[in-house]
Amino acid sequence: MGRSDERCCIRTGAGRRESYTEAPSVYQGVIAVEARPPGRARRPRADAARNRERLLEAAKRVFGRDDGAHSSLEAVAREAGVGIGTLYRHFPTRESLFEAVYRREVEQLVELAGQLAGGPDPVAALRRWLRANVEFVATKKGMAAALAIVMQGTTDLSAYTAERLTAAVGGLIDRAVAAGALRGDVGPEDLLRLLVSLCYGSSAPGWQHNVLRLLDVFVDGMRRDRA
Amino acid sequence: MGRSDERCCIRTGAGRRESYTEAPSVYQGVIAVEARPPGRARRPRADAARNRERLLEAAKRVFGRDDGAHSSLEAVAREAGVGIGTLYRHFPTRESLFEAVYRREVEQLVELAGQLAGGPDPVAALRRWLRANVEFVATKKGMAAALAIVMQGTTDLSAYTAERLTAAVGGLIDRAVAAGALRGDVGPEDLLRLLVSLCYGSSAPGWQHNVLRLLDVFVDGMRRDRA
Amino acid sequence: MGRSDERCCIRTGAGRRESYTEAPSVYQGVIAVEARPPGRARRPRADAARNRERLLEAAKRVFGRDDGAHSSLEAVAREAGVGIGTLYRHFPTRESLFEAVYRREVEQLVELAGQLAGGPDPVAALRRWLRANVEFVATKKGMAAALAIVMQGTTDLSAYTAERLTAAVGGLIDRAVAAGALRGDVGPEDLLRLLVSLCYGSSAPGWQHNVLRLLDVFVDGMRRDRA
Amino acid sequence: MGRSDERCCIRTGAGRRESYTEAPSVYQGVIAVEARPPGRARRPRADAARNRERLLEAAKRVFGRDDGAHSSLEAVAREAGVGIGTLYRHFPTRESLFEAVYRREVEQLVELAGQLAGGPDPVAALRRWLRANVEFVATKKGMAAALAIVMQGTTDLSAYTAERLTAAVGGLIDRAVAAGALRGDVGPEDLLRLLVSLCYGSSAPGWQHNVLRLLDVFVDGMRRDRA
DNA sequence: AATGAATGAGGCTTCATTCAT
DNA sequence: CATGAATGAAGCCTCATTCAT
């Protein structure tokens, strides 16, 4: 088999030389924003809120484990330290739990896209956002499954989130296209699909490195100044 | 005693011709070549061969469905119209079934790579091979899962097949690199991973078209003459 | 969290009186004494306790049938009138069910040995204890299997119980040996093995009578005053 | 196989001192007599006879393994090197195979009883026969299950064999009773049941030794001259 | 006759989901 | 609200038994 070494110093498209370990991680400044449906009149009981929180955290941990997407809900409840009934009260379906888990994560990625939009080099911004995504998935392994679910767009709710995500990365792309830096026939859905596909199921050691390289090559392929 | 070895004795007719898209399909000439062990005197019983075949076809179909890799073996048996015991007789483990499923498909892809290697334009050859892959997956949806399994390289046996596949596409890449047409830092594993990732789980209408576009952009990114 | 520990909280009424043969039954005074862990605040749910009880009773019945040790757990659940899942909740392994079944019975036998230890004629005491055992098995047919399992000493837990039982009957023997009434080369394990062997699988009508006769002959063989 | 350690120097009832390894093994001279139903006109084909033989040997081996009584019939056929269908042709039911296996063994024990009947000391003859039984079981572990089946008398066929066995040991007992050496209230069925019970399921190291001791104590209990 | 392929019942176990407390 | 017990469907796998070759 190949290329296991990971010396990690590779040459991205235009000759830039980057060490992936040293690269500044971008997503850390992102603040977790928990969107809560505003319509609910009754303020939730303190313990209910706490349990909900615990469940989300536990779900992230459990789903984040290898092949975690198939973990039992009991395992999540156990990890959260609550009864299975409580889990069901908060998240009546497995999907609803997944959604709640990824929603906050996706929120952070949307946020990040907004922050990056202000920079001078639109292509670099796109690359950074992609890099942040990969790091994100690396940190919180469950993200891959979450993103995959979002992009398959099964539910109304996930459709909403997918939309937000698409809009965010679409903004980054559009700026670069407008600046003449990228060709215009690759849409945000394309990029997201690619991203999700590459991250999802990658588990071999060094996968981050490889995925980042592939993404860089891809962005190279998107560059206008070539061909 | 028992357990017929897993080497398959059935050949899919080389004459079937099916074009699934208007694009010129390249993989049709591929002939399934399967070694038959000469020593074994007793010819396999007709129904056994038929059932084995049915199981492989059913497995391809079932595993090819969404998240098919986690389908139950009973579902496969049901789809094949045989008893669960028959499935277990032919494929004592889940893995052995997977292997049998992908082995023949991969064989055809390897073959195709060999055929394409003779052409004048190495980059075009690579593109064609990728296109053939996508078509292949489109035709036999199970391929995606099969390839995914191969590339995760769990078993010794799958490792062998993965090697063959890697070597095949590696040959295509190397020629292009040697000709100065492609950069050298994208290996066959990279390309295969990308391919598998993109095909795997793509099910939306028009996914073929999209995947092909993305692959084209990626190969653009690999081009030497740019940058 | 989950898995209530296996310590049993239900006591069989000490007042039930059932004589299964005309012979004076000795074991009736035995009181089931079961330690209840004092720390556990939450009282077990009524239905849980009931189901646990039913399962134990059913297991005793089912395992008591011919070759009952190989009965399916589903048969036990069916006999108990509960779902298979319930069985698994209470007894996660087959062994744990076995243990729970025999533990309480053995407890009573140990108790009886203590009560008999006070009498004037040690050999008679031993005979009575053996007789009580046979009656016990006659009453609760499952005992035979239970004892058999105990004496095979597979698990740590069963080893503990086996120890208690051995100590109990050992006390009876030792007293008789010390009084010069019995020879010293037959240990408690021997006697228990004999007892279990004879009871286990005896099902022909009149087996009790026969087994008692054989045991009496055996104790005769243990008598010092002969030869 | 068998007879591993067995230094086994114990003191049996009357002070006789015996080393179990040195004791002359009695059953070896016994000739395997294969009773075949005489009514069958057609002489069996040579290969059929051979297969039948192989199956019996294989069954003895397989059933003789630990917990072998629950081995699959496929395992027996495999061990015999014949197809499962062949097994079924020869032994249409599991029971019939068991019977065929034990019949020949029991035949040998019957034979031995006849040989021993001629000796001067009838009690010693009985002891020797019991000893031979234990050795028999030790050598061919499957015997225990076989004997157990015989003595439970489920089938007509086994009933016949049980009768022969009972008659054989009955002869030994009767002689001793007639000579005034043993009490008359222990019948051959009793003794067989005891024997089977003790051997069946004994598997701990040194079990032979223990079983022999218990049998000796029991025979002591049968002695007339005492009490 | 011999073979071994096919079949499905049945045992094991996990889990999603409901519901009593 | 929280809890966790109860339930059974469903997947896994083995094997006894039948039957085509």
Side-chain angles (χ1 to χ4, degrees), chain C residues 52-132:
Chain C
R52 190 190 168 83
E53 209 50 30
R54 277 186 187 169
L55 280 165
L56 286 171
E57 292 300 326
K60 247 190 300 185
R61 278 195 301 278
V62 170
F63 289 151
R65 291 207 261 273
D66 227 17
D67 202 23
H70 299 97
S71 307
S72 77
L73 296 186
E74 304 204 313
V76 173
R78 212 176 313 127
E79 174 93 15
V82 307
I84 182 65
T86 303
L87 185 149
Y88 271 88
R89 167 172 285 276
H90 285 286
F91 307 101
T93 68
R94 170 179 279 260
E95 275 230 313
S96 69
L97 176 56
F98 271 49
E99 279 169 13
V101 166
Y102 70 66
R103 181 195 297 275
R104 50 167 55 188
E105 311 293 351
V106 167
E107 226 43 67
Q108 298 182 42
L109 290 174
V110 168
E111 181 105 359
L112 174 61
Q115 293 177 2
L116 290 173
D121 181 348
V123 174
L126 183 59
R127 288 193 201 268
R128 296 185 93 174
W129 191 79
L130 292 172
R131 167 176 301 271

Side-chain angles (χ1 to χ4, degrees), chain A residues 75-219:
Chain A
V76 173
R78 200 163 39 239
E79 174 92 14
V82 307
I84 181 67
T86 305
L87 184 150
Y88 269 87
R89 168 168 290 273
H90 286 288
F91 306 100
T93 69
R94 169 179 276 260
E95 272 231 314
S96 70
L97 176 56
F98 259 73
E99 279 170 12
V101 166
Y102 71 65
R103 179 196 296 277
R104 49 167 59 185
E105 310 293 350
V106 168
E107 226 43 65
Q108 296 181 45
L109 289 174
V110 168
E111 180 110 355
L112 174 62
Q115 291 177 6
L116 289 172
D121 180 348
V123 175
L126 183 59
R127 288 195 202 266
R128 297 185 95 172
W129 190 81
L130 291 173
R131 165 179 307 270
N133 270 275
V134 175
E135 287 177 12
F136 220 161
V137 170
T139 315
K140 331 203 160 183
K141 200 59 174 45
M143 271 302 290
L147 284 172
I149 289 172
V150 174
M151 295 318 292
Q152 297 205 182
T154 35
T155 334
D156 296 350
L157 240 159
S158 79
Y160 163 75
T161 316
E163 219 164 283
R164 297 210 53 194
L165 201 55
T166 304
V169 65
L172 291 177
I173 293 177
D174 289 347
R175 272 189 66 230
V177 171
L182 294 186
R183 53 204 260 189
D185 61 347
V186 175
E189 297 90 352
D190 291 324
L191 211 46
L192 283 171
R193 187 184 344 273
L194 178 68
L195 182 64
V196 168
S197 299
L198 284 174
C199 290
Y200 191 79
S202 285
S203 56
W207 68 267
Q208 280 186 71
H209 171 73
N210 287 318
V211 166
L212 286 174
R213 257 181 44 236
L214 296 182
L215 286 172
D216 266 333
V217 173
F218 188 83
V219 174

Side-chain angles (χ1 to χ4, degrees), chain C residues 55-214:
Chain C
L55 280 165
L56 286 171
E57 292 300 326
K60 247 190 300 185
R61 278 195 301 278
V62 170
F63 289 151
R65 291 207 261 273
D66 227 17
D67 202 23
H70 299 97
S71 307
S72 77
L73 296 186
E74 304 204 313
V76 173
R78 212 176 313 127
E79 174 93 15
V82 307
I84 182 65
T86 303
L87 185 149
Y88 271 88
R89 167 172 285 276
H90 285 286
F91 307 101
T93 68
R94 170 179 279 260
E95 275 230 313
S96 69
L97 176 56
F98 271 49
E99 279 169 13
V101 166
Y102 70 66
R103 181 195 297 275
R104 50 167 55 188
E105 311 293 351
V106 167
E107 226 43 67
Q108 298 182 42
L109 290 174
V110 168
E111 181 105 359
L112 174 61
Q115 293 177 2
L116 290 173
D121 181 348
V123 174
L126 183 59
R127 288 193 201 268
R128 296 185 93 174
W129 191 79
L130 292 172
R131 167 176 301 271
N133 269 275
V134 175
E135 286 177 11
F136 219 159
V137 171
T139 313
K140 329 201 159 184
K141 201 56 174 46
M143 269 304 289
L147 283 173
I149 290 165
V150 173
M151 296 317 293
Q152 294 204 183
T154 33
T155 333
D156 295 351
L157 241 159
S158 79
Y160 164 75
T161 317
E163 222 166 279
R164 296 208 54 192
L165 201 54
T166 304
V169 64
L172 292 177
I173 293 178
D174 288 346
R175 271 187 69 228
V177 171
L182 294 185
R183 52 202 264 188
D185 63 347
V186 174
E189 297 90 352
D190 292 323
L191 211 48
L192 285 170
R193 186 181 349 268
L194 178 69
L195 181 64
V196 168
S197 298
L198 284 174
C199 291
Y200 191 79
S202 285
S203 55
W207 68 267
Q208 279 187 71
H209 180 70
N210 287 319
V211 167
L212 287 174
R213 255 180 46 238
L214 296 182

Side-chain angles (χ1 to χ4, degrees), chain D residues 19-41:
Chain D
S19 161
Y20 284 107
T21 43
E22 298 163 20
S25 182
V26 192
Y27 75 87
Q28 289 156 358
V30 180
I31 300 154
V33 179
E34 174 70 352
R36 179 107 46 148
R40 288 305 228 96

